[in-house]
Amino acid sequence: MKVFLTGGTGTIGRAVLAGLVARGHRVTALARSPEAGARLRAAGAQAWSGDLRAPREWLDKALGSDCFVHLANSFDAEGRAAERRLVAALIAAPHGTTPFHFVYTGGIWLYPPTRGTPLREATAYSPLPAFAHVVHAIRSLAASRHLALSVIHPALVCARDGGPVADMRMAAEGGRPFVTRAERDTLWPLVDAEDLADLYVRAVEARSYRLTAIGCGVEAASVGNLMDLVSDGLGLRLDLAHDEAPPDLAADLDVAAGYARSQVASGDGARRLLGWSPEVTTPEALVGRLFPIGA
């Protein structure tokens, strides 16, 4: 398949790009800079110059593919405006008789806090204020009969070079506390980046008309447990320091507030709908996979 990708140099995007290329798909990825283009080409994609803030300049290229996977989203005022323009352009674009397949990225912070029954795809949205525009985008896209919409809601994504576990390791190795809005007993649902990439590839290949899937491998891990696993694995002390929101930061721009949201989530829907089988399903396996002892 011909796949158009945004966010191909990010933590999720690099893994998804590698997964698509490994499956033999031809990937064209949006590149905002020559440096990004070089990284994308080295990963096996064709780089297409363009800016998320001006989607009409490159949207025809995306719509000429078999599937458009959107992984790039920022949460400042400029990023929200760019997302609105992209959604409006997608809905207004001329389409053929067959709905165009668009894979969109939501997030676990679109769902409410919970410490009991795991969040599932049918759980009503209750987004973090900084994510409210994403809910609006999903509803607008789903209302278009010209789009075959698949929505993936990643849990907190963990890779060797990005995500909360990597941040813990860097703090421990730097002799610094791990700074977060969370408490030690805050529960985080987690997913390994490579497992999540497999879910995206499955969504691309399924070409469903309407699909929603939560990408969660570890249903919940307490922040304290994760810190202890990282500390013990490295043989280094790791303390927690509580981060406070800047007093002048508006709630709809406060993305970091999500780390204080205690959640348990289930990946059973993704398993059932797409045959997804994440390899990493426990906090111990996650830390061990990302940071093998002695690595």
mmCIF file of all heavy atoms in Angstrom, residues 69 133 143 220:
data_model
loop_
_atom_site.group_PDB
_atom_site.id
_atom_site.type_symbol
_atom_site.label_atom_id
_atom_site.label_comp_id
_atom_site.label_asym_id
_atom_site.label_seq_id
_atom_site.Cartn_x
_atom_site.Cartn_y
_atom_site.Cartn_z
ATOM 1 N N VAL A 69 -1.847 8.331 7.628
ATOM 2 C CA VAL A 69 -1.678 8.110 9.076
ATOM 3 C C VAL A 69 -1.169 9.408 9.700
ATOM 4 O O VAL A 69 -0.072 9.871 9.363
ATOM 5 C CB VAL A 69 -0.684 6.965 9.364
ATOM 6 C CG1 VAL A 69 -0.541 6.741 10.867
ATOM 7 C CG2 VAL A 69 -1.146 5.678 8.679
ATOM 8 N N HIS A 133 -9.774 19.669 21.964
ATOM 9 C CA HIS A 133 -9.864 19.871 20.513
ATOM 10 C C HIS A 133 -9.721 18.563 19.757
ATOM 11 O O HIS A 133 -10.232 18.438 18.633
ATOM 12 C CB HIS A 133 -8.804 20.872 20.047
ATOM 13 C CG HIS A 133 -7.401 20.347 20.081
ATOM 14 N ND1 HIS A 133 -6.704 20.167 21.256
ATOM 15 C CD2 HIS A 133 -6.559 19.958 19.080
ATOM 16 C CE1 HIS A 133 -5.494 19.697 20.979
ATOM 17 N NE2 HIS A 133 -5.380 19.562 19.679
ATOM 18 N N ALA A 143 -18.142 12.167 11.359
ATOM 19 C CA ALA A 143 -19.410 12.557 10.737
ATOM 20 C C ALA A 143 -19.321 12.614 9.220
ATOM 21 O O ALA A 143 -20.347 12.708 8.537
ATOM 22 C CB ALA A 143 -19.855 13.909 11.279
ATOM 23 N N ALA A 220 -1.990 -0.957 33.900
ATOM 24 C CA ALA A 220 -1.709 0.092 34.880
ATOM 25 C C ALA A 220 -0.436 -0.256 35.632
ATOM 26 O O ALA A 220 -0.196 -1.411 35.970
ATOM 27 C CB ALA A 220 -2.867 0.251 35.868
#
